[in-house]
Amino acid sequence: MAKGNKSIKANTAKEIEVAVVFLVSSYCASGRNPKPVILHSLRIAFRLLELGYSSRVVIAAILHDLVEDSDVSIEDIKRNFGKKIGNMVAAVSFDPTITDRKQRCLEMLKRVKREGREAMILKAADLYDNSFYIHLAENVTEQKYLIWKLETFLKLASQIKNEGVWKSLKKRLPKEKERLSSLLSNRQG
């Protein structure tokens, strides 16, 4: 389990800064998601940094949505940040050729698991941050899907259940399920 690490080495800080500049410049050039992708990516990265995870995981967190939400490719990430970071980003990115949403999600989550502990930690942090916005989904069907995604990930990634990010996500799930249940009850009553 990672331990909190409030100080980082100068070279690590510079690597992180390079990734932040890459994220911002790439997203400003070709970003196509109306959601706050830059802020989301930075929240995840700095949470992982604060928890003491490796600079690889932190940098992958910064870059994790670029492939889905901009013109950046996995090869661009590998060329600029190395194979391991590129592989983590690839693992957490949906395969756009799979049209069924649940199948696309399952395939991605299985890739995350195959990529290993660091990719699972990254995905747990991503899902945790996203869980605060489930209530903003366009409809109940979408909210149910997002809760299903959290449940499915927690089952598939149980080998990291001692990690703080997994525990945080596990703790959020009942809150979101209760919120959705309450919403449905209010609609019926």
Side-chain angles (χ1 to χ4, degrees):
M1 184 182 319
K3 295 182 175 103
N5 180 5
K6 301 300 181 200
S7 63
I8 58 173
K9 296 177 183 172
N11 61 332
T12 301
K14 186 63 181 168
E15 291 171 354
I16 291 169
E17 187 173 83
V18 168
V20 169
V21 169
F22 187 84
L23 165 69
V24 173
S25 62
S26 298
Y27 196 77
C28 287
S30 65
R32 55 183 168 267
N33 190 330
K35 297 175 188 169
V37 171
I38 294 170
L39 182 60
H40 164 70
S41 299
L42 294 178
R43 273 195 314 264
I44 294 169
F46 289 118
R47 181 162 194 262
L48 292 171
L49 181 65
E50 185 176 279
L51 291 171
Y53 288 105
S54 74
S55 61
R56 278 191 317 270
V57 176
V58 172
I59 291 169
I62 292 167
L63 306 172
H64 83 279
D65 273 337
L66 279 175
V67 173
E68 291 178 6
D69 295 332
S70 77
D71 293 339
V72 172
S73 70
I74 293 299
E75 291 309 314
D76 294 332
I77 291 173
K78 286 180 179 179
R79 186 173 41 260
N80 286 283
F81 299 97
K83 183 178 177 182
K84 182 63 178 165
I85 290 170
N87 287 346
M88 275 191 277
V89 172
V92 301
S93 299
F94 287 118
D95 179 344
T97 66
I98 301 172
T99 55
D100 180 82
R101 178 165 70 163
K102 280 191 172 182
Q103 289 304 315
R104 185 173 53 233
C105 181
L106 277 172
E107 188 275 336
M108 178 269 299
L109 292 175
K110 288 176 182 176
R111 274 188 286 116
V112 167
K113 185 174 182 172
R114 279 193 309 271
E115 186 60 31
R117 178 182 168 273
E118 289 183 322
M120 287 185 280
I121 287 166
L122 168 57
K123 191 62 190 175
D126 179 32
L127 290 170
Y128 176 78
D129 191 70
N130 285 334
S131 73
F132 288 93
Y133 303 99
I134 290 173
H135 68 282
L136 297 176
E138 58 195 54
N139 56 50
V140 171
T141 301
E142 181 67 15
Q143 291 177 27
K144 287 179 180 178
Y145 164 74
L146 295 171
I147 289 171
W148 169 85
K149 187 166 34 169
L150 297 182
E151 291 173 322
T152 303
F153 173 79
L154 287 167
K155 289 175 191 167
L156 285 173
S158 62
Q159 64 263 47
I160 64 163
K161 66 182 176 187
N162 293 326
E163 298 289 341
V165 292
W166 191 92
K167 289 177 182 179
S168 294
L169 184 59
K170 177 90 171 161
K171 192 175 177 180
R172 283 279 310 149
L173 181 59
K175 293 175 185 177
E176 285 306 309
K177 288 172 103 173
E178 175 57 32
R179 188 207 43 75
L180 182 58
S181 176
S182 177
L183 173 69
L184 293 172
S185 293
N186 288 339
R187 284 186 177 178
Q188 292 174 354

